[in-house]
Amino acid sequence: MTEGNCITGTYDAFNRRVNYLRISVTDRCNLRCIYCSDGEISHLGHNDILSYEEIARITRVAAEMGVTHVRLTGGEPLVRPYVANLVSLLTAIPGIEDISLTTNGTLLEAQAAELKAAGLKRINVSLDSLQPDRFTRITGGKNLHDVFKGMAEAHRVGLSPVKINMVVMPGINDDEIVDFAKKARDEAWHVRFIEYMPFDGAGAEPVLTVSEIKDRIETSAGALWACCLNGAGPANYYSFGSGEGTIGFIRPVSHRFCGQCNRLRLTADGKLRPCLLNDLEIDIRSSIRNGGGEAELKALLRQAIMAKPERHYLEEAAVGGRQMRQIGG
Ligand code: SAM
């Protein structure tokens, strides 16, 4: 235990313990999901994004400050070449206990085994429709079958639990809520329903709340019972009482969970982002490229942790700066 740290995290100004780092490895994505990208795709150049060694260096310092959990995200993390090499570098860092990855699953089949061998523990797959045509429409042209193959391979190699994240969008895919729930009930899927976050600000988009989603499931698929599934995140889990599948609800909008927020974000271009839904960012790339030593990196990490706002203000104001694709969710 070092000064200012708890054994597993550094406390922020609101007494929240920060022990989880979400790392965006690229802003590039092979999908164009209707809600995630506004069509303006300006990609960062090769020199703009942090190298794997730079990411590992920042993570090593973060681990010394008590970060134990790391999640790789993007853009689509699996479009960046050799991402398993980054997993190997992170696995070797003392104190990092859990490395997971969030993916759209389309490139997973070919990479699941090497990711597992490199030390990746778990995987989340974002999937918003079980209907091939609709999936293609939502994602801008990809094949649902590739995602299913990726999920099966992840399961086969032991990247488990494979959690499925569905962003519920009224009028677009909310008629599939019960179909997803039945996958949990009948096929042991771990499905998490995520409230759509209107980056455009309060009331810009219609939001279906978790209580409405839960009502629909219980009416058509059976009663849900509170249960528990491992993870470092804010989901509330339920099961149907039998079978191994689970249903999770993540409700950033209707049930703000900022009081339990334990995370810090690192963007692909080397900015520490204290809050997903707040545009404040702290540049750590300049420090690392200008010869900043460990003490300087630690000070920047601490500054970012202390800058975490008490809560998000999504209801009051839009998130102006970046799209979700550029932050990593
Ligand atoms: N490409 C990876 C993937 O598809 O999982 C990682 C990046 S993606 C930006 C991370 C997650 O953010 C996905 O689950 C996506 O559905 C979710 N997401 C994007 N925009 C969102 C929004 N406005 N509200 C809620 N979730 C959103």
Side-chain angles (χ1 to χ4, degrees), residues 173-290:
N173 64 356
D174 63 313
D175 57 340
E176 293 190 60
I177 288 170
V178 173
D179 295 338
F180 272 88
K182 285 180 178 168
K183 289 283 188 189
R185 188 189 66 185
D186 304 334
E187 297 177 39
W189 282 27
H190 299 289
V191 178
R192 301 174 341 147
F193 296 101
I194 303 180
E195 277 179 353
Y196 176 80
M197 285 180 268
F199 263 46
D200 295 348
E205 314 273 350
V207 167
L208 200 63
T209 65
V210 161
S211 33
E212 290 168 292
I213 298 170
K214 193 157 166 276
D215 278 353
R216 287 198 199 178
I217 295 172
E218 294 200 300
T219 303
S220 303
L224 290 173
W225 304 88
C227 72
C228 169
L229 185 72
N230 286 340
N236 295 113
Y237 287 103
Y238 294 82
S239 77
F240 285 99
S242 61
E244 290 171 14
T246 58
I247 302 247
F249 295 109
I250 302 182
R251 34 185 159 174
V253 185
S254 71
H255 204 265
R256 216 189 282 136
F257 40 72
C258 305
Q260 290 111 54
C261 184
N262 61 348
R263 53 192 64 183
L264 193 63
R265 291 177 164 79
L266 177 63
T267 65
D269 56 348
K271 307 286 186 294
L272 293 167
R273 190 162 170 120
C275 170
L276 170 66
L277 299 171
N278 187 305
D279 288 323
L280 175 71
E281 293 180 348
I282 289 160
D283 180 16
I284 195 166
R285 186 185 69 187
S286 299
S287 166
I288 215 166
R289 293 193 178 168
N290 292 328

Side-chain angles (χ1 to χ4, degrees), residues 35-36 73-77 102-104 126 167 195-197 324 328-329:
Y35 58 92
C36 192
T73 177
E76 170 49 42
T102 295
T103 174
N104 60 42
S126 305
V167 176
E195 277 179 353
Y196 176 80
M197 285 180 268
M324 194 71 112

Side-chain angles (χ1 to χ4, degrees), residues 11-306:
Y11 284 90
D12 73 1
F14 301 96
N15 210 28
R16 294 170 298 198
R17 203 171 63 184
V18 177
N19 59 5
Y20 181 175
L21 183 63
R22 280 181 80 102
I23 301 171
S24 174
V25 300
T26 178
D27 67 332
R28 290 170 192 255
C29 187
N30 58 338
L31 304 189
R32 294 286 175 269
C33 294
I34 46 177
Y35 58 92
C36 192
S37 164
D38 66 5
E40 283 289 314
I41 306 293
S42 71
H43 291 307
L44 296 167
H46 183 69
N47 287 332
D48 295 327
I49 62 171
L50 295 176
S51 69
Y52 289 161
E53 288 70 23
E54 288 170 332
I55 293 173
R57 190 162 167 229
I58 293 166
T59 307
R60 185 177 296 278
V61 176
E64 284 168 14
M65 297 172 70
V67 165
T68 52
H69 287 58
V70 169
R71 175 171 293 278
L72 302 181
T73 177
E76 170 49 42
L78 300 187
V79 301
R80 184 158 172 187
Y82 311 112
V83 81
N85 290 356
L86 173 62
V87 174
S88 295
L89 291 175
L90 300 180
T91 303
I93 296 175
I96 297 299
E97 297 166 6
D98 185 84
I99 305 172
S100 55
L101 180 141
T102 295
T103 174
N104 60 42
T106 54
L107 304 170
L108 185 54
E109 186 187 21
Q111 299 187 45
E114 59 180 354
L115 288 167
K116 173 72 181 172
L120 192 75
K121 293 249 181 1
R122 300 177 291 115
I123 211 133
N124 288 1
V125 176
S126 305
L127 178 61
D128 300 326
S129 177
L130 298 169
Q131 300 175 8
D133 289 352
R134 182 180 284 173
F135 177 85
T136 301
R137 268 200 313 280
I138 291 176
T139 60
K142 288 292 169 184
N143 188 342
L144 177 60
H145 201 57
D146 293 339
V147 182
F148 288 153
K149 286 194 288 188
M151 285 166 54
E153 180 65 0
H155 193 66
R156 191 189 70 76
V157 303
L159 286 170
S160 55
V162 177
K163 294 180 189 165
I164 308 303
N165 289 342
M166 180 212 196
V167 176
V168 180
M169 292 168 284
I172 294 176
N173 64 356
D174 63 313
D175 57 340
E176 293 190 60
I177 288 170
V178 173
D179 295 338
F180 272 88
K182 285 180 178 168
K183 289 283 188 189
R185 188 189 66 185
D186 304 334
E187 297 177 39
W189 282 27
H190 299 289
V191 178
R192 301 174 341 147
F193 296 101
I194 303 180
E195 277 179 353
Y196 176 80
M197 285 180 268
F199 263 46
D200 295 348
E205 314 273 350
V207 167
L208 200 63
T209 65
V210 161
S211 33
E212 290 168 292
I213 298 170
K214 193 157 166 276
D215 278 353
R216 287 198 199 178
I217 295 172
E218 294 200 300
T219 303
S220 303
L224 290 173
W225 304 88
C227 72
C228 169
L229 185 72
N230 286 340
N236 295 113
Y237 287 103
Y238 294 82
S239 77
F240 285 99
S242 61
E244 290 171 14
T246 58
I247 302 247
F249 295 109
I250 302 182
R251 34 185 159 174
V253 185
S254 71
H255 204 265
R256 216 189 282 136
F257 40 72
C258 305
Q260 290 111 54
C261 184
N262 61 348
R263 53 192 64 183
L264 193 63
R265 291 177 164 79
L266 177 63
T267 65
D269 56 348
K271 307 286 186 294
L272 293 167
R273 190 162 170 120
C275 170
L276 170 66
L277 299 171
N278 187 305
D279 288 323
L280 175 71
E281 293 180 348
I282 289 160
D283 180 16
I284 195 166
R285 186 185 69 187
S286 299
S287 166
I288 215 166
R289 293 193 178 168
N290 292 328
E294 185 163 324
E296 190 174 313
L297 298 183
K298 219 170 237 178
L300 289 169
L301 281 158
R302 192 174 308 263
Q303 187 187 340
I305 290 171
M306 295 312 283

